[in-house]
């Protein structure tokens, strides 16, 4: 069972637990893929990193959904990446590769990982922007994803758009390097212009660790908008929450 409400930030759907929320994303995901393939013959999807979405990727690659998905017509990208080697335990690519890519008939050339081997995050961020320009159709000179999956940190960051970082002001670059003080590490992230340009943005947030942040985001209490609140998605934006994250606020 789910409860959905409309909000200025999009549609908020609340599920009993994380597994149900992932099933919810999967059902919406199948619809997006079907619609994109019908209209454009391909589907370009940017994945979220972190720990939350791994269950969702495993679900898509599992027996219930794998056969329903036309994998060779899908292209996968990343919303952000930690600036570590692709085989590092911190790598978002490594997580998605193990959870999904390796389990499904997806051609290697359909996986567009964010490069992290130049030894300079700015160089690799520029290279990734080129990849987006080469692989995606553009509208108003900005590449258009069919779907961008995002998560949210307990500080309200999404992708690697962290509070207090200069990338929040980036309006020209499609992807940028960002130094994250709290982790004392570099990351590469898509920027707001690209995130906002997507046809669909799905935000998967689960667990009681996110309750306080969500409470503030969806409250009427005056507060400094967090990075995730500054999204202005032109297409459909749906939040997939479990009860543990939604708490009593929604
Ligand atoms: C990353 C993600 C990041 C993530 C949040 C939530 O690279 O870490 O892209 O934006 O979605 O930090 O992370 P958890 O899912 O681990 O809570």
């Amino acid at each position: 069972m789910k409860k959905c409400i409309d909000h200025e930030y999009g549609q908020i759907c609340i599920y009993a637990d994380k597994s149900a929320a992932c099933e919810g994303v999967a059902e919406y995901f199948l619809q997006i893929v079907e619609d994109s393939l019908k209209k454009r013959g391909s589907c370009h999807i940017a994945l979220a990193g972190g720990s939350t979405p791994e269950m969702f990727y495993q679900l898509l690659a599992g027996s219930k959904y794998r056969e329903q998905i036309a994998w060779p017509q899908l292209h996968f990208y990343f919303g952000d990446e930690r600036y570590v080697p692709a085989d590092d335990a911190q790598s978002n690519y490594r997580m998605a590769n193990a959870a999904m890519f390796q389990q499904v008939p997806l051609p290697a050339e359909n996986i567009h990982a964010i490069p992290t081997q130049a030894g300079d995050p700015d160089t690799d961020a520029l290279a990734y922007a080129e990849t987006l320009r080469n692989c995606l159709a553009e509208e108003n000179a900005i590449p258009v994803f069919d779907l961008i999956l995002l998560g949210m940190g307990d500080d309200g960051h999404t992708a690697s758009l962290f509070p207090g970082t200069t990338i929040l002001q980036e309006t020209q670059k499609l992807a940028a390097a960002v130094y994250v003080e709290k982790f004392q590490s570099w990351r590469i992230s898509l920027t707001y212009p690209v995130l906002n340009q997507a046809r669909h943005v799905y935000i998967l947030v689960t667990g009681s660790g996110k309750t306080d942040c969500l409470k503030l985001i969806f409250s009427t209490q005056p507060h400094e908008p967090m990075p995730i609140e500054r999204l202005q998605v032109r297409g459909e934006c749906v939040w997939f929450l479990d009860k543990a994250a939604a708490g009593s606020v929604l």
Side-chain angles (χ1 to χ4, degrees):
M1 262 317 277
K2 70 177 179 181
K3 179 181 94 172
C4 289
I5 48 177
D6 289 331
H7 185 275
E8 62 174 299
Y9 290 159
Q11 190 182 40
I12 320 293
C13 290
I14 301 166
Y15 296 82
D17 54 30
K18 179 174 181 178
S19 171
C22 289
E23 291 277 355
V25 185
E27 293 305 321
Y28 276 67
F29 177 90
L30 291 182
Q31 289 302 312
I32 300 298
V33 168
E34 183 184 345
D35 183 56
S36 303
L37 297 191
K38 203 181 295 174
K39 288 178 181 164
R40 292 175 290 279
S42 62
C43 189
H44 297 265
I45 301 152
L47 297 178
S51 57
T52 302
E54 185 174 26
M55 180 187 280
F56 170 61
Y57 303 152
Q58 289 166 336
L59 182 65
L60 287 186
S63 54
K64 182 171 181 181
Y65 292 103
R66 182 178 43 231
E67 307 309 323
Q68 300 180 57
I69 297 169
W71 296 98
Q73 291 171 274
L74 273 53
H75 285 259
F76 288 96
Y77 308 73
F78 287 85
D80 73 328
E81 187 56 277
R82 290 81 182 275
Y83 202 66
V84 295
D87 60 358
D88 187 290
Q90 282 295 313
S91 165
N92 289 333
Y93 162 77
R94 180 180 181 273
M95 179 272 287
N97 188 46
M100 181 164 68
F101 299 152
Q102 280 184 335
Q103 320 302 332
V104 297
L106 182 69
E109 61 270 22
N110 289 28
I111 301 169
H112 310 277
I114 296 176
T116 58
Q117 66 272 17
D120 168 38
D122 288 319
T123 302
D124 280 321
L126 210 56
Y128 202 56
E130 272 314 294
T131 295
L132 301 184
R133 291 217 183 275
N134 294 336
C135 298
L136 295 171
E138 297 184 6
E139 287 174 22
N140 303 323
I142 299 175
V144 183
F145 279 101
D146 293 297
L147 171 62
I148 297 180
L149 186 67
L150 294 173
M152 185 193 79
D154 59 10
D155 58 359
H157 80 261
T158 192
S160 284
L161 304 177
F162 283 83
T165 57
T166 52
I167 195 172
L168 299 180
Q169 279 72 45
E170 183 55 61
T171 58
Q172 301 306 310
K173 293 177 186 170
L174 303 178
V178 50
Y179 186 74
V180 185
E181 204 62 50
K182 70 192 285 191
F183 299 132
Q184 300 212 317
S185 61
W186 283 94
R187 294 192 173 194
I188 292 174
S189 179
L190 299 185
T191 56
Y192 280 125
V194 176
L195 300 181
N196 290 335
Q197 181 80 325
R199 292 189 176 91
H200 303 272
V201 171
Y202 291 166
I203 304 172
L204 176 60
V205 184
T206 62
S208 55
K210 309 291 174 68
T211 308
D212 290 346
C213 185
L214 287 172
K215 193 169 185 167
L216 187 55
I217 288 172
F218 292 112
S219 73
T220 51
Q221 191 185 328
H223 63 279
E224 177 67 21
M226 288 176 250
I228 200 165
E229 294 182 80
R230 294 170 53 177
L231 285 169
Q232 293 179 328
V233 178
R234 68 160 189 164
E236 176 198 41
C237 183
V238 184
W239 298 62
F240 298 83
L241 312 178
D242 66 359
K243 272 213 180 79
S248 57
V249 67
L250 289 160

